[in-house]
Amino acid sequence: MDLNYRTNYKLIKNEIIQLIRNAIDEDLQGYGDITSKYIIPDSSISSAYIICKEKEGAVLCGIDIVKYVLEEINLSISFNKNKNDGDFLKYKEMVCNISGPTKDLLAAERTCLNFLQHLSGVATITSKFSKITSKYNIKIADTRKTKPGLRKIEKYAVFCGGGYNHRFGLFDGILIKDNHIIAAGGIKNAIEKVRPHIPHQLKIEIEVKNLNELKEAINSKADIIMLDNMSPKVMSEAVKKIRKSLPDCIIEASGNVSLETVEEICKTGVDIISCGFITHSAKAIDFSMEFT
Amino acid sequence: MDLNYRTNYKLIKNEIIQLIRNAIDEDLQGYGDITSKYIIPDSSISSAYIICKEKEGAVLCGIDIVKYVLEEINLSISFNKNKNDGDFLKYKEMVCNISGPTKDLLAAERTCLNFLQHLSGVATITSKFSKITSKYNIKIADTRKTKPGLRKIEKYAVFCGGGYNHRFGLFDGILIKDNHIIAAGGIKNAIEKVRPHIPHQLKIEIEVKNLNELKEAINSKADIIMLDNMSPKVMSEAVKKIRKSLPDCIIEASGNVSLETVEEICKTGVDIISCGFITHSAKAIDFSMEFT
Amino acid sequence: MDLNYRTNYKLIKNEIIQLIRNAIDEDLQGYGDITSKYIIPDSSISSAYIICKEKEGAVLCGIDIVKYVLEEINLSISFNKNKNDGDFLKYKEMVCNISGPTKDLLAAERTCLNFLQHLSGVATITSKFSKITSKYNIKIADTRKTKPGLRKIEKYAVFCGGGYNHRFGLFDGILIKDNHIIAAGGIKNAIEKVRPHIPHQLKIEIEVKNLNELKEAINSKADIIMLDNMSPKVMSEAVKKIRKSLPDCIIEASGNVSLETVEEICKTGVDIISCGFITHSAKAIDFSMEFT
Amino acid sequence: MDLNYRTNYKLIKNEIIQLIRNAIDEDLQGYGDITSKYIIPDSSISSAYIICKEKEGAVLCGIDIVKYVLEEINLSISFNKNKNDGDFLKYKEMVCNISGPTKDLLAAERTCLNFLQHLSGVATITSKFSKITSKYNIKIADTRKTKPGLRKIEKYAVFCGGGYNHRFGLFDGILIKDNHIIAAGGIKNAIEKVRPHIPHQLKIEIEVKNLNELKEAINSKADIIMLDNMSPKVMSEAVKKIRKSLPDCIIEASGNVSLETVEEICKTGVDIISCGFITHSAKAIDFSMEFT
Amino acid sequence: MDLNYRTNYKLIKNEIIQLIRNAIDEDLQGYGDITSKYIIPDSSISSAYIICKEKEGAVLCGIDIVKYVLEEINLSISFNKNKNDGDFLKYKEMVCNISGPTKDLLAAERTCLNFLQHLSGVATITSKFSKITSKYNIKIADTRKTKPGLRKIEKYAVFCGGGYNHRFGLFDGILIKDNHIIAAGGIKNAIEKVRPHIPHQLKIEIEVKNLNELKEAINSKADIIMLDNMSPKVMSEAVKKIRKSLPDCIIEASGNVSLETVEEICKTGVDIISCGFITHSAKAIDFSMEFT
Amino acid sequence: MDLNYRTNYKLIKNEIIQLIRNAIDEDLQGYGDITSKYIIPDSSISSAYIICKEKEGAVLCGIDIVKYVLEEINLSISFNKNKNDGDFLKYKEMVCNISGPTKDLLAAERTCLNFLQHLSGVATITSKFSKITSKYNIKIADTRKTKPGLRKIEKYAVFCGGGYNHRFGLFDGILIKDNHIIAAGGIKNAIEKVRPHIPHQLKIEIEVKNLNELKEAINSKADIIMLDNMSPKVMSEAVKKIRKSLPDCIIEASGNVSLETVEEICKTGVDIISCGFITHSAKAIDFSMEFT
């Protein structure tokens, strides 16, 4: 598994290169690294490696971004990765070793680690959910609750952690929520307004909050039904009703999804569970660049 | 307290406007919001308000960014804020109310909330630290361990939570760390190499790991000494030694700083405690846009 | 009908403002409009109007872009539109009148007309197709065969001409074509490979060239079938087979679609006819800015 | 003849690289090519070639842009061109062959073809005019009636088709048109106002609509006279008058220039014929990427 | 005379806004103006004025840019100009007065003055040359020897100082110099190669170094002849020869042009004198922002 | 000494590449170099060298930028430098030789020379000051009085000329000037307001105009004192007072610094002399590209 999961190397790199440049720029403005400038000789060359310092281990994500950061700082830095994105890392396990001008390694250090610690944080928490849901053959999906500007790489981290990517934005999926329903005057009206006009390649997903709304959604033959914030008991009943009337309908659960609640939700028999926590509240994983 | 904490409104806005545009662009590409397009009439106007849904309350950060996001979507949306950045929010407290074309409010909703939930998360965790350290008249400071591209707004969130901003990047502060010391051949050498060349307006900060290194730092008359990863006992001893020999020296503690450990560190008598957790691992605060 | 057909004014404007600036920049580099500079006094004010000079009439598209171009040149130019995008224009009919500094009107003239002539060209040819297909309650759809960089506004022009917008790009619709089928080892394999992995909100469209391929597509329960380059006779047979076995399947015709052939294709009973000609080969509509 | 017709490779490439990136971006946003992602294995490698599918043949333009598009997608795609820009292509003639990762070829396919089909369309229609005018040793010139943002590459296509490039924009040529004449109070006044102030390296071109205006232009010693929308008979008379009084004056014909009328215009003896049709209304040439 | 000398306000402003933003950004990165932040209250409002501190006086240039800089910092700053670009300023004369938030005036101060001091420097030295050459009815022209990125505003400053703008770049004027002549194999060959191909709206300028080259240039009927680095005596002779054989030919002098030599060059009777010194070596004019 | 003086090659290059592109773009818009296009064959290859034509010699600065400009024009141009930035050049000394397509060398010529002539101008005047101040072991420092957008490369030129770089902008140094003092209500108040809030890594510099202000600055224990516009006699007295009361205080002189006055200022015993002239009024150094 590598960063190149979408289509190809060059495209992905183009997309994140601006992100990388902005991150480097935050650290190196004005006169640049003013500490190293006066201490480290231009001719000094060093080797270093990056290790995971998380006692419980972690799922790696961002190793190719580390490479791009280094390339952006100095093309002559050598880089060898020992692990790939998606790999599980044990405590103190080495993820890559690098060598090049000491000044350049120090200039790149924090930016490399900041990408790694955040993305591996997202991948690691996702993998914890995925370990549970996969036993039930259920997908754990991300949401649009991402950090501003980091959606693409956070969704990649979800993928690396074994998660499933929900729609990218408002433009590539129809999801009728409460405010749409109110505006349209009910679920039935909403679906009837949408059906003749949507891109013919898209299905219609509708969010329901209770069994009354569910009934209307079933009658309107929704293609996908999202059960929002239901108790496990109600959700089980909802799943049964849908399976009976609309056997091809995909069922998604959302709301109040945590490591404590997810297994109970799995037992209701839904197809997909979506969860904002894995992107908006992931704890960073501790990495460190050690010089040899 | 407002976003305009640095110099002035226009500059701050210019700086984050690209961030806002990128965030909007993640959500609205291709044909844009394809759900609302077919359901919500162009003429539909709505009012809505944003509330905090965190049971324990939270410190608000990002309310002016919400305004800019709305302006970016449609200048005609009206916006009134009920709370300012830095204010404490109780559960279900309203932070602003807005009104405008329904389609535009829906197009802006997720982007607004994504900024709010992250920045308020940083401000809230910072305020928890600050409540403890301020009793001891000690500053809780951020680090360079920020999300790529979000450093400036995350450091603003730290400020809103009552924290203190450490150097912005490698360019505006001298901090001699272990790798510099190795490269220079010892603490004394490092400081002597730096002193004649650094910008004359900067002090020299040096990181020490034990009492041996401390001794060398004191002998070299460092302006600021960072005590890194010391036990409270050793740290107390270090503080005493510094106060005795270098009464003007500023003392910073770092490493292993958590809500559990911070009070003990305060008791050692340092001046500043720096902490990566508040920017790299803050849990998001739950906000919601409710239509009326 | 106006340019604001997607979501809202500000977003659409942001998207095309760079396009407008590039177009202005092509005309005005170096010392700018060197002819007017020496002839037209700075204080000269003029009124002008834009008229359609197409003898057969045309469908208007781009009138709001004209407004944006003028704003970009000088915010003080007044602009009143007499017609909206999608309106039919008779020969010599006025579409807008404007007034402002003469130099500014002359600087803006060509850029305004270049947008108008191209977009109205696309809308006009689309409306000719649409007039035929709508009699049969069939949609005439665009393709991805657009001018580089102009896809969004060309698809908007198709919409103004009464056409239907197919997927925007490779990212918002699944369409399995011959090369995918070869790579996957047959239609059945292709669909089976795709089904478990695609975003759950998307349907599967597959392109078939003959009745053998069609059979396989039907057996694999494709959601949408595109009949590519079939004779009307074969197409009619194909439509019958699909309606019988897959009543919910959407049928699209493509290939060799012209004003001469389109009615015959309509008679086969397909749902959608897609056509590259309307975007890649539309003849420009003649407009002129007349000073009063 | 190649794209590098202006000055050099790197400059031209820099200029169109943004155009290429925008075009790729139209096709590949969000999750990218979602069809190939699930069907084509990452390891699959293909060869393909691009052929001209125009029965009457065509003049090639844009082959180097195809190369740049491929480079932009993946630097490792191999590319060999069999034809150069300006070459005449017979039906089914191959213009280049390429090989590389199948996913990357499919991601690049439409963008490559969209450039080729449009630019070759402009080159081909230009060559039809040029075949006629060159018999009379007359130049067929383009105008500023180009697609927004595509002026440079469309003018390059005109050049490839054997045409002559008129001024690039308002900044590199003086052309006094009707509105300038009105503003200046007559042709004589206009020329007298311009002459002392224009860059000394520029000639003065003036547009005249009839023999009265011509007389004034001749008396004012215009360097270049454009005969606008005159009948062949009047135009012939105008040419004679100019040749007699101003032997060094260059004569340009414009207005109502089509493949039907151009030969008659040639017979009037003008030097240059300018024509908007070749850039604003060129029909696309059909190309196809065939996998082997 | 104002900045809007080319075509119009908005265009000029767009062109230099990026320049202004870059200049502001050089001064205000990271945490911004860290001195004022802690001293000046947010609520503090000040008035200030900008005065010329050059004892000999100066020609003003850049006053509208000052306005744009202030707008860029804070739209609410009020600005009134007392002088226009091109005006002569006496010692201590006020050029504008401004008022607004003190922090914002201080943030803008250096950027405003840096534009003013440089552009007024160029305008002032130009006016000294112009005072001499205008007695002889000769134009003093700039060259392409400008500061990187500042060409447009430096040429505007030349214009404000009473100078004449030569071609903007390599793209809007034909100038055949020594290296072209060598490559073409002589002056005659060079001109003959160029004449049939150049844009028909351009004249041909050729640089000659001595009377032999001049002879060839005259024989080839150059439209403009540049006499490069000739002694006044030789130059006088050259002028006579040209006037005799090519009465319509424009004569330009260049090389070794200084305030000491320019009058002697004027006496040779050339039409235009071009001079690099006025843009590449102008001394800055002293301005100061005084708070009241 | 080379351009890579800050941290590393890639960073420096990224920073100035946009500057280089803008400079090239000023010269080559529209149809590009229209003179060479018609005279120089595409196949023509030339060698050339750049020499210093300053009779008194000069200090070189910008040689690596020449290389980047050439790379930007055509990667295949070969470039060998004979001198490094900071080297002293004698009259007619060669700084580099280059070879490549003649058209490309001519397209790059002016941009290369414009960088060289300006930066070497700054380095050369700086070295004249430095030769004097270094005898007294005093640093000659630059100011923020730079050309808009060129601050970084001008400060690099100061460094090449043996000068010392003062703060880069308002963001990396505290300097309390007259307007701050007024706003704060006196020097003592200003320093007391600043001290508890500034980044702990920064010293406080204060500007004083006379001995009264000096007294207050000394009492407030300023870290750095700038003596502004004092006569040598007063300055000497000020230095003595400071050395006596604040032995660690750094003393900077500014105001009215010229080659005539600088030695007298040195004799007062200050540590640093800052001077705007070296960046805002440096005379260009004459360079020329000679073809062989």
Side-chain angles (χ1 to χ4, degrees), chain A residues 207-223:
Chain A
E207 180 187 286
V208 301
K209 292 209 154 55
N210 51 51
L211 297 179
N212 277 346
E213 288 184 6
L214 177 68
K215 197 171 168 186
E216 220 183 327
I218 290 174
N219 287 342
S220 306
K221 297 195 177 165
D223 299 311

Side-chain angles (χ1 to χ4, degrees), chain E:
Chain E
M1 196 181 302
D2 70 9
L3 182 58
N4 184 0
Y5 84 118
R6 203 184 63 169
T7 308
N8 58 51
Y9 171 82
K10 194 82 185 308
L11 284 179
I12 286 289
K13 190 168 172 186
N14 279 348
E15 283 168 358
I16 62 167
I17 210 70
Q18 194 54 52
L19 207 54
I20 288 172
R21 286 188 182 157
N22 289 347
I24 290 174
D25 204 48
E26 289 178 330
D27 228 23
L28 292 159
Q29 306 181 345
Y31 288 121
D33 181 354
I34 51 178
T35 306
S36 300
K37 183 158 93 180
Y38 303 111
I39 297 186
I40 315 288
D42 279 353
S43 58
S44 167
I45 299 292
S46 294
S47 290
Y49 49 92
I50 294 178
I51 58 166
C52 172
K53 291 178 64 181
E54 204 71 21
K55 294 230 165 95
E56 310 172 21
V59 174
L60 178 64
C61 181
I63 189 63
D64 293 324
I65 294 182
V66 168
K67 187 174 161 233
Y68 300 161
V69 172
L70 295 169
E71 283 176 13
E72 201 55 31
I73 294 286
N74 188 333
L75 274 172
S76 77
I77 297 174
S78 82
F79 167 89
N80 291 291
K81 63 176 172 183
N82 305 83
K83 293 287 175 176
N84 284 307
D85 285 352
D87 287 353
F88 185 79
L89 303 173
K90 284 179 290 188
Y91 180 46
K92 297 224 170 160
E93 202 160 13
M94 189 196 301
V95 298
C96 62
N97 53 65
I98 60 186
S99 73
T102 313
K103 273 185 172 174
D104 293 337
L105 301 190
L106 290 169
E109 178 184 12
R110 188 74 260 142
T111 305
C112 290
L113 299 181
N114 282 354
F115 275 104
L116 269 189
Q117 72 187 13
H118 177 53
L119 296 180
S120 300
V122 172
T124 301
I125 184 70
T126 301
S127 76
K128 289 181 182 167
F129 278 94
S130 171
K131 227 168 268 171
I132 299 169
T133 64
S134 62
K135 289 188 297 184
Y136 297 85
N137 209 19
I138 292 172
K139 290 166 175 164
I140 180 78
D142 53 31
T143 64
R144 289 161 47 242
K145 297 182 177 179
T146 53
K147 302 280 184 312
L150 305 180
R151 183 170 289 174
K152 189 159 275 175
I153 58 172
E154 287 183 346
K155 280 178 168 266
Y156 169 63
V158 165
F159 173 75
C160 290
Y164 169 83
N165 295 138
H166 208 290
R167 63 177 174 166
F168 190 84
L170 289 171
F171 60 91
D172 60 348
I174 303 280
L175 177 40
I176 303 173
K177 306 185 95 171
D178 45 2
N179 292 316
H180 301 103
I181 296 170
I182 292 166
I187 287 175
K188 189 157 165 284
N189 282 349
I191 292 184
E192 279 173 4
K193 273 192 183 169
V194 160
R195 217 187 279 285
H197 297 296
I198 55 163
H200 63 283
Q201 299 185 312
L202 286 175
K203 296 180 178 175
I204 296 173
E205 175 161 6
I206 191 151
E207 180 187 288
V208 300
K209 292 209 152 54
N210 52 50
L211 297 179
N212 277 347
E213 288 183 4
L214 177 67
K215 198 172 169 185
E216 219 183 328
I218 290 174
N219 288 343
S220 306
K221 299 197 175 165
D223 300 310
I224 311 165
I225 294 176
M226 175 192 281
L227 307 174
D228 188 43
N229 261 314
M230 288 182 176
S231 71
K233 202 182 141 192
V234 176
M235 200 178 276
S236 289
E237 199 177 331
V239 171
K240 269 177 225 144
K241 283 182 193 292
I242 301 170
R243 295 292 186 228
K244 193 172 161 196
S245 309
L246 297 173
D248 291 341
C249 182
I250 298 166
I251 309 176
E252 178 176 342
S254 91
N256 193 24
V257 178
S258 68
L259 280 176
E260 288 71 37
T261 63
V262 70
E263 185 138 20
E264 214 173 4
I265 297 173
C266 286
K267 290 178 180 161
T268 63
V270 298
D271 299 304
I272 297 169
I273 300 171
S274 55
C275 168
F277 188 91
I278 56 177
T279 49
H280 68 50
S281 294
K283 213 175 70 55
I285 297 298
D286 195 8
F287 286 93
S288 154
M289 186 185 285
E290 309 279 332
F291 283 72
T292 58

